[in-house]
Amino acid sequence: MGIVAGLDSSSEYTRIVVCDTDTGAVVRQGYAPHPVPGGADAGEDGAPAAGRHAEIDPQAWLLSLGEAAAGGLLEGVQAIGVSAQQSGLVPLDEAGAPVRPALVGNDRRAQTAAADLVDALGGREAWVQAVGCVPRPSQPVAKLRWLARQEPEAAQRTAEVLQPHDWLVWQLLGRPVRRTTDRGGASGTGYWSAAAESWRPDLAELALGRPVRLPEVIGPAEAAGQTPEGLLISAGTGETMAAAFGLGVGVGDAVVSLGASGSAFSVHPQALVEPTGMITSFADATGMHLPVVYTLNAVRALRGTAELLGTSLEELSELALASTPGSYGLVLLPYLEGERTPDLPHTAGTLAGLRRESMKPEHLARAAFEGMLCGLADALDVLRGRGVAVHRVFLLGPAAELPAVQAIAPALLGAQVVVPQPADYTALGAARQAAWALGVYQGTLSPQQPPLWPAPAGQVFEPGEELAVGQAVRQQYVAVREQTHPGAFG
């Protein structure tokens, strides 16, 4: 019996939950905002406006943490788990001081650098075989190449690199000689192989142009260390991995995230290799793997349609439910920003099936919801095509609360859909990791079995008799996609 804390240091805020170690019940919580990185204007998905950069003094994360923990929030806490935004890069000099502000995940300056790295190793498949993913502009490996090309003096001073959660763990421990990370965070860098469970320092060197030290990767239930006051700090992890752990996602489950862009990931026993790079092979926070498939267009397709019709998202949902499955033949390929799954970076969206009887607001509204969900069903099919079982889908994001999403999603995704009640599952996952590390340290838990906290409450929606109708809508969508972009999925 005791309490532990989970810390979620996102790109926008620090949230802390204090939980009972046995039940996971939240007993206290704190919150503090982060400054907007680099003074950039945030877009609808939280990313800076086009052409802007995103960087921040990592000390700001500590200041935000201090504000969130004010008022004795951590009094009596025995262990802390840290989760933080993924794809950030904190370059340090020989003395452990940052050589420049941290480059955070939504910094997009490394697009050319990412393309250079793909060519430098011999193409997309070479990267997939090496580390389970193809370099993206947001990843640390691409940021290192950008640093080498654009700021050679800072690159020359860079002796080691950490990610945000690594850096925060190190600070909480009092900046010891030992620096650590976890396999989940490491798997997002672009220079750690999920299949081999090991660093590829040669790829970090390829990016930076010189050798660089990387933190020690510790196991899911291991502790990174103890503070001078005796507070246990667990391994920490990235926000995706912590959210999956907080939700209690297991084999047979998938998580679909509805942001401006979208993603679908699942728990799988092995790392997956997909030759075209549509799957990013992450590791999770439990010793399993999290293959992820990204789409560039999710809620942005709904927002664009709502703006066109002069409605809100809630009104768009009502309109969509006034139509019927298949939207009277209207099909929206929602590739408004190009698309990543399938790989169509320079394409645009397509609205097909226009007839006099289909040219009504409710049918366009329904086509927007069906197009968004069919795009995410394509992402799930990429996972299924590699042997991933998907029997239950968790829908995350504010748009998951829209009645049209809840009504349409089960039949189109072909699975039971769960919409968990709103909570900070990232912070809860970090707290659960802290409870696991504490239990192992005290000898009350096995390193192979995390604490069995209750599953989150939520609404459950079954495809039921609508499954056949939903699959017909999918076929209509696929037919238009194949006609417009033949062979997009190979």
Side-chain angles (χ1 to χ4, degrees), residues 331-382:
V331 174
L332 176 66
L333 302 183
Y335 304 157
L336 307 186
E337 299 289 331
E339 190 47 80
R340 186 169 167 186
T341 305
D343 185 27
L344 298 167
H346 306 301
T347 193
T350 300
L351 183 63
L354 282 170
R355 294 182 175 86
R356 177 64 188 88
E357 62 269 20
S358 66
M359 295 179 69
K360 294 182 179 180
E362 60 266 31
H363 303 322
L364 178 57
R366 178 110 188 178
F369 280 94
E370 290 179 344
M372 176 189 74
L373 290 167
C374 282
L376 290 161
D378 280 349
L380 285 175
D381 281 352
V382 172

Side-chain angles (χ1 to χ4, degrees), residues 33 36 38 44 132 163 169 199 219 222 282 322 342 357 402 416 438 484 487:
V36 177
E44 66 172 317
Q163 292 190 89
V169 165
W199 288 117
E222 288 186 64
F282 286 142
E357 62 269 20
L402 294 173
Q416 181 190 82
L438 180 64
T484 310

Side-chain angles (χ1 to χ4, degrees), residues 163-232:
Q163 292 190 89
H165 95 259
D166 310 335
W167 188 85
L168 282 166
V169 165
W170 184 50
Q171 297 295 316
L172 289 173
L173 291 173
R175 297 165 57 93
V177 172
R178 182 192 190 210
R179 274 79 145 173
T180 64
T181 190
D182 87 307
R183 54 196 294 280
S187 66
T189 59
Y191 40 84
W192 188 85
S193 168
E197 300 260 350
S198 63
W199 288 117
R200 286 292 303 267
D202 58 314
L203 298 182
E205 182 176 353
L206 174 70
L208 190 62
R210 57 192 300 271
V212 64
R213 290 196 302 275
L214 304 171
E216 176 188 348
V217 181
I218 61 177
E222 288 186 64
Q226 288 181 292
T227 68
E229 298 77 25
L231 185 65
L232 197 75

Side-chain angles (χ1 to χ4, degrees), residues 130-416:
V131 291
C133 64
V134 178
R136 304 190 310 276
S138 62
Q139 283 186 297
V141 69
K143 288 179 168 66
L144 284 176
R145 171 58 68 100
W146 178 89
L147 194 66
R149 295 289 187 265
Q150 302 299 322
E151 299 181 3
E153 183 179 349
Q156 190 62 34
R157 293 171 52 213
T158 299
E160 86 181 284
V161 290
L162 299 178
Q163 292 190 89
H165 95 259
D166 310 335
W167 188 85
L168 282 166
V169 165
W170 184 50
Q171 297 295 316
L172 289 173
L173 291 173
R175 297 165 57 93
V177 172
R178 182 192 190 210
R179 274 79 145 173
T180 64
T181 190
D182 87 307
R183 54 196 294 280
S187 66
T189 59
Y191 40 84
W192 188 85
S193 168
E197 300 260 350
S198 63
W199 288 117
R200 286 292 303 267
D202 58 314
L203 298 182
E205 182 176 353
L206 174 70
L208 190 62
R210 57 192 300 271
V212 64
R213 290 196 302 275
L214 304 171
E216 176 188 348
V217 181
I218 61 177
E222 288 186 64
Q226 288 181 292
T227 68
E229 298 77 25
L231 185 65
L232 197 75
I233 307 296
S234 64
T237 195
E239 56 191 351
T240 299
M241 299 78 191
F245 198 34
L247 281 166
V249 176
V251 173
D253 293 330
V255 177
V256 169
S257 179
L258 301 176
S261 54
S263 67
F265 68 81
S266 61
V267 174
H268 198 61
Q270 296 91 31
L272 295 182
V273 175
E274 202 285 319
T276 68
M278 281 193 289
I279 294 177
T280 297
S281 193
F282 286 142
D284 81 342
T286 72
M288 301 281 278
H289 292 267
L290 281 181
V292 183
V293 180
Y294 294 98
T295 71
L296 293 181
N297 301 277
V299 178
R300 62 166 42 97
L302 302 184
R303 292 194 185 282
T305 306
E307 289 169 4
L308 179 66
L309 296 176
T311 68
S312 66
L313 287 184
E314 290 72 21
E315 292 166 336
L316 190 74
S317 175
E318 292 179 20
L319 273 175
L321 292 176
S323 180
T324 56
S327 310
Y328 267 65
L330 276 187
V331 174
L332 176 66
L333 302 183
Y335 304 157
L336 307 186
E337 299 289 331
E339 190 47 80
R340 186 169 167 186
T341 305
D343 185 27
L344 298 167
H346 306 301
T347 193
T350 300
L351 183 63
L354 282 170
R355 294 182 175 86
R356 177 64 188 88
E357 62 269 20
S358 66
M359 295 179 69
K360 294 182 179 180
E362 60 266 31
H363 303 322
L364 178 57
R366 178 110 188 178
F369 280 94
E370 290 179 344
M372 176 189 74
L373 290 167
C374 282
L376 290 161
D378 280 349
L380 285 175
D381 281 352
V382 172
L383 295 174
R384 287 176 170 129
R386 303 300 294 180
V388 176
V390 178
H391 305 303
R392 180 173 61 165
V393 175
F394 289 85
L395 278 186
L396 300 184
E401 300 289 337
L402 294 173
V405 169
Q406 296 175 356
I408 298 170
L412 290 187
L413 301 182
Q416 181 190 82

Side-chain angles (χ1 to χ4, degrees), residues 30 92 104 450 461:
L92 304 176
V104 296
F461 303 91

